[in-house]
Structures are given as C-alpha cells and as structure tokens.
C-alpha cells in the first residue's frame, strides 16, 4: 500500500502578496496583482504589463552577501521556502535531514542574470563576465540553495517542463515520498521572467495580452475578448510529507495529495492539442491514481491562461473527462488575478487549491464579462463562492505539450 502524502506548510511570493494570509485574502476577494511594468523601458514592446512582485525585501530572508550571488528567481524561492518551513512548524535541526529532499520546478531559471551578463560582455568584454553567472543562471540552483541552507541531503531534483514545471515537481515529490526515498520534501516552483528579453520573446510569439491601458482587466480567461496571457513572477513552495511523519510531530494538515497524472500532447512545440486529448488523459490518470471517479471531483483550478486556443482546449478536455458532470463542476482560473507565473504557476496554484479544500471557499475567475460561447462551464465568475470542496484538481499545461495534474482532497485520518 502506497504511503499517503499531505501538505503541512506553504509559502508564497507573488503579485498578490508575499505572505500566505495576505495572498489568500487577495485571491478570494478577486484583487488583481497585474500592473504596468516600471522596472525597465517598455515603450517599444506591444505588451507593457505583468504580474509584478511588490514590496519584496530579500534581506529579510537571505544574507546580503549571498543576495548578490543569487538571481531574483532564487531570492523568491528562498523566501517562500523559509515561509513554508516555518508554516509547517518543521524544525530541520531536529529531523533526519538525509530523509528530507527538495524537488523544485522552474521553466527558465536565472534569465535576468543571463541577460545582464550578456550586456556586460558586449559593453566591457568577456573578462568582465561574473564568475557567478553559471550558478546564478542554471534552473536547478534554487533547489540546491534551499538544500544547502538547511542541510537537506535527501533527493534533490529540478523539473523543467515550461508552465507545468512546478506541478510536475510537486507530483514527483509525492512519488519520492511514496516510494520511501524521503519522509519530507520541500517542493514547488519559482520564476522571475519580467525582463526585456523575456517580454520581447513572448511578444514576438504574439502570446501576451496587449490590453496595456487596463492592466487589471487584461487577464480574462474564458472571456470572448481575451487576447493572450499576462506574464507574472514569484514562487510558491509547499512542505509535503508522509502522513505518518506529519502525525508523529503533530503537524497541521491542509490537504492530502492523493493523485498525480502526467502526459504529453506530442502535437506541437507551443500550441495545445485543439481537442485536449493529452490534458484529458492527465486528469483521468490523476483521478485513477487517487482511486476515485470523475463524479467525485468538486472543483478544478484550471490552467486557464487567457489565450484563445488554450482556454477552449482545456474546456473541451474537461468535458471529455467529466461528461455530464462537467456542468456541475466549479472551475476557476486564478491567473485572472496573478497573471501566468510560467514555471512557478503550479506552485502558487497548488497552494490556492489546497486552501480551497481547507477553507471550502472557491476563488473566482475575474474579468469574465463576456463569456466565450465555446467556453461554457461554471467558471465561478467575479466573486468567490462558499461551497464544500472534498476533491479538487489543479491543472498545468506547458509549451512542448507537457500536461501535469494533481488531485487534492480534504484530509480524513
């Protein structure tokens, strides 16, 4: 019999708050974190808005000398990890640290550092490139830095599956615990992509919303007037552990992660399968992994990026899996408030899903003013809904056709 895995701690750095309670309050009250980008000149870019982390002070979490040797994405990861560990009441010095692992996701890694150092080389020559460029840039460094800080010597893995990265990381963390390789895993994802090269690249793909005059209304999943996603930044980190370990130390349990499904569309490098075959299969696998049936699911935290193809494909995938039950499901996209955190999206969205299950409050999809006729499910528009949520899915789909789905359920001893 496989080990049960539960969530005992969570930490977040996001456009909607840098502390768990503030973040949740903003999410359930439908407050957008999307603003005009003020960090660099965007005048030549078609898209000039993003989900920006505000009032974040890395000095609260990291030594000043070390801050200079880390990319912004790692600053976010370290802060959210500290908050999650504290929230879990986990005392690393009292634990067997060979039984604690880190499984983390990032779609890009330290791209801001890479961009800056390319400019340094162009202006001053290769001799001025920082010796810390490589360890600041590589996507796995956040997982390593967390392990180094706390002395966690268990499995240390980084998943890089575009926008499915953090959800894959959490799912793989569950597998690590289930097969007995660790008792506790620090997991989630981080991303800091708000820099000129990232925004220029996504603009070149015509993937971003250009609703620059109304930033807070730009991310509008499932709305007929959606015109692309809004990029965001931040980190979402969870402490997951074997149930028996959590109970032995008297930990509070937010939810149980009971299922995980992962597939690939094998269709296109950026476009989703138009009929959602791979996404549907991942949902089916997560439900089966939990030993449940589709009609047991109450809520889906949708990938819902606000792109024309993606939202339609996800709607079709949900209908494929749930049949008549699809019309009874509550489905919402919290990217309407946070923007799309790319490789970190699954981290903060798993946190949202866990809190939905824990509090029995479903967050809204804001900006759903003119529903797309081809997106005709119950997307919980505008306002949160108080409703019992026993079982929920979190969907994440990434460029390359990566599909990852987690099933969370209310904890019952």
């Amino acid at each position: 019999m496989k080990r049960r895995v539960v969530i005992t701690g969570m930490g977040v750095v996001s456009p909607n708050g840098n502390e768990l309670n503030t973040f949740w309050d903003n999410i359930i009250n439908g407050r957008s974190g999307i603003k005009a980008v003020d960090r660099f000149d965007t005048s030549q870019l078609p898209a000039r808005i993003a989900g920006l982390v505000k009032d974040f002070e890395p000095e609260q979490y990291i030594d000043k000398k070390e801050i200079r040797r880390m990319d912004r994405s790692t600053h976010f990861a370290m802060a959210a990890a500290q908050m999650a560990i504290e929230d879990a009441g986990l005392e690393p010095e009292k634990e067997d640290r060979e039984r604690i692992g880190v499984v983390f996701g990032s779609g890009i890694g330290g791209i801001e550092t890479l961009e800056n150092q390319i400019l340094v080389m162009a202006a001053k020559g290769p001799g001025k490139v920082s010796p810390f460029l490589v360890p600041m840039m590589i996507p796995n460094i956040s997982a390593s830095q967390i392990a180094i800080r706390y002395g966690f010597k268990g499995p240390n893995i980084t998943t890089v599956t575009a926008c499915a990265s953090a959800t894959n990381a959490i799912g793989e963390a569950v597998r690590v615990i289930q097969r007995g390789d660790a008792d506790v895993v620090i997991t989630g994802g981080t991303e800091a992509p708000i820099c000129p090269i990232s925004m220029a690249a996504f603009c070149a793909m015509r993937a971003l919303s250009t609703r620059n005059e109304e930033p807070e209304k730009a991310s509008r999943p499932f709305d007929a007037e959606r015109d692309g996603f809004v990029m965001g930044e931040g980190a979402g980190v969870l402490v997951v552990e074997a149930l028996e370990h959590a109970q032995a130390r008297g930990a509070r349990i937010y939810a149980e992660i009971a299922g995980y499904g992962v597939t690939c569309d094998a269709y296109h490098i950026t476009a989703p399968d138009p009929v959602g075959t791979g996404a549907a299969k991942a949902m089916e696998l997560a439900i089966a992994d939990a030993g449940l049936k589709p009609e047991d699911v109450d809520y889906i935290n949708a990938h819902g990026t606000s792109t024309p193809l993606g939202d339609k494909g996800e709607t079709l995938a949900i209908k494929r899996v749930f049949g008549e039950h699809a019309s009874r499901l509550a489905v919402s996209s919290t990217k309407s408030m946070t923007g799309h955190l790319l490789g970190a999206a699954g981290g903060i969205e798993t946190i949202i899903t866990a809190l939905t299950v824990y509090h029995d409050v479903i967050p809204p999809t804001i900006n759903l003013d003119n529903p797309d006729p081809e997106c005709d499910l119950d997307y919980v528009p505008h306002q949160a809904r108080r409703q019992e949520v026993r079982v929920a899915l979190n969907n994440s789909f990434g460029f390359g056709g990566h599909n990852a789905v987690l099933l969370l359920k209310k904890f019952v001893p």
Side-chain angles (χ1 to χ4, degrees):
M1 186 174 179
K2 65 184 181 184
R3 303 169 91 192
R4 295 173 67 184
V5 179
V6 295
I7 299 168
T8 58
M10 300 186 288
V12 65
V13 175
S14 83
N16 308 76
N18 304 327
E19 182 270 333
L20 190 63
N21 291 330
T22 301
F23 172 72
W24 178 240
D25 182 68
N26 285 330
I27 291 297
I28 61 172
N29 284 290
R31 300 186 186 114
S32 173
I34 296 166
K35 311 291 182 187
V37 174
D38 56 3
R39 210 173 291 156
F40 51 85
D41 181 12
T42 62
S43 60
Q44 296 184 0
L45 293 171
R48 300 187 291 276
I49 55 177
L52 299 171
V53 169
K54 297 287 189 179
D55 304 318
F56 175 69
E57 298 178 4
E59 296 85 358
Q60 294 181 5
Y61 308 97
I62 311 166
D63 179 79
K64 288 185 178 180
K65 181 179 179 181
E66 291 301 311
I67 288 172
R68 296 192 297 271
R69 298 178 178 181
M70 294 179 185
D71 182 78
R72 184 172 171 85
S73 62
T74 303
H75 296 165
F76 294 158
M78 296 294 282
Q82 179 178 319
M83 286 185 268
I85 290 168
E86 291 174 354
D87 184 53
L90 189 70
E91 300 178 82
E93 67 280 2
K94 296 182 180 179
E95 298 286 337
D96 179 355
R97 284 181 270 196
E98 292 187 355
R99 299 287 301 167
I100 302 178
V102 184
V103 182
F104 228 68
S106 184
I108 304 175
I111 193 167
E112 186 176 44
T113 295
L114 177 61
E115 180 184 57
N116 289 340
Q117 290 302 305
I118 288 172
L119 294 174
V120 168
M121 186 172 75
K124 300 180 180 179
K128 295 297 183 178
V129 170
S130 170
F132 293 101
L133 168 57
V134 171
M136 290 173 71
M137 172 191 72
I138 51 181
N140 69 295
I141 205 65
S142 291
S144 297
Q145 289 282 21
I146 293 167
I148 290 166
R149 176 174 180 177
Y150 294 101
F152 297 150
K153 297 183 178 181
N156 195 291
I157 303 164
T158 297
T159 57
V160 182
T161 49
C163 306
S165 296
T167 303
N168 276 136
I170 298 164
E172 296 303 321
V174 169
R175 294 287 187 252
V176 165
I177 293 171
Q178 286 176 338
R179 65 175 177 254
D181 291 344
D183 298 318
V184 181
V185 178
I186 314 304
T187 187
T190 190
E191 206 81 272
I194 313 301
C195 62
I197 190 63
S198 294
M199 292 199 69
F202 281 110
C203 283
M205 296 174 64
R206 299 181 180 178
L208 299 181
S209 172
T210 57
R211 194 183 286 254
N212 298 307
E213 304 308 314
E214 299 179 296
E216 295 182 353
K217 296 182 180 180
S219 183
R220 42 198 321 111
F222 309 111
D223 189 85
E225 297 179 6
R226 66 192 185 277
D227 69 330
F229 74 86
V230 178
M231 192 153 45
E233 63 178 352
V237 180
L238 304 92
V239 176
V240 298
E241 55 187 299
L243 174 59
E244 63 270 22
H245 185 277
Q247 289 176 324
R249 65 182 193 85
R252 172 195 48 208
I253 295 171
Y254 286 107
E256 179 175 357
I257 305 179
Y260 172 46
V262 56
T263 66
C264 183
D265 287 348
Y267 173 76
H268 189 270
I269 56 172
T270 56
D273 181 334
V275 295
T277 306
K281 185 63 175 178
M283 285 186 268
E284 289 171 351
L285 289 171
I287 294 166
D289 187 41
L292 298 176
K293 298 177 181 178
E295 54 267 31
D296 295 322
V297 177
D298 302 304
Y299 168 67
I300 299 176
N301 186 288
H303 187 57
T305 58
S306 189
T307 58
L309 291 177
D311 293 359
K312 178 182 174 182
E314 185 169 13
T315 298
L316 290 171
I318 291 169
K319 290 179 177 180
R320 178 189 290 262
V321 174
F322 293 95
E324 292 183 0
H325 184 62
S327 63
R328 294 187 288 273
L329 278 168
V331 180
S332 66
S333 173
T334 48
K335 288 184 180 73
S336 59
M337 294 169 278
T338 66
H340 189 355
L341 273 65
L342 307 182
I348 67 165
E349 287 161 17
T350 301
I351 287 172
I352 291 169
T353 306
L355 290 171
T356 297
V357 170
Y358 188 67
H359 292 295
D360 287 322
V361 178
I362 297 173
T365 304
I366 67 168
N367 301 323
L368 186 51
D369 301 323
N370 182 20
D372 184 339
E374 294 187 280
C375 298
D376 55 356
L377 300 176
D378 175 8
Y379 302 113
V380 194
H382 307 303
Q383 293 185 327
R385 179 183 303 163
R386 183 164 291 281
Q387 175 184 319
E388 184 181 17
V389 180
R390 298 158 298 172
V391 178
L393 296 182
N394 177 34
N395 289 347
S396 295
F397 312 132
F399 282 174
H402 298 283
N403 304 303
V405 176
L406 296 169
L407 184 147
L408 278 63
K409 68 179 187 180
K410 197 174 292 293
F411 172 65
V412 178

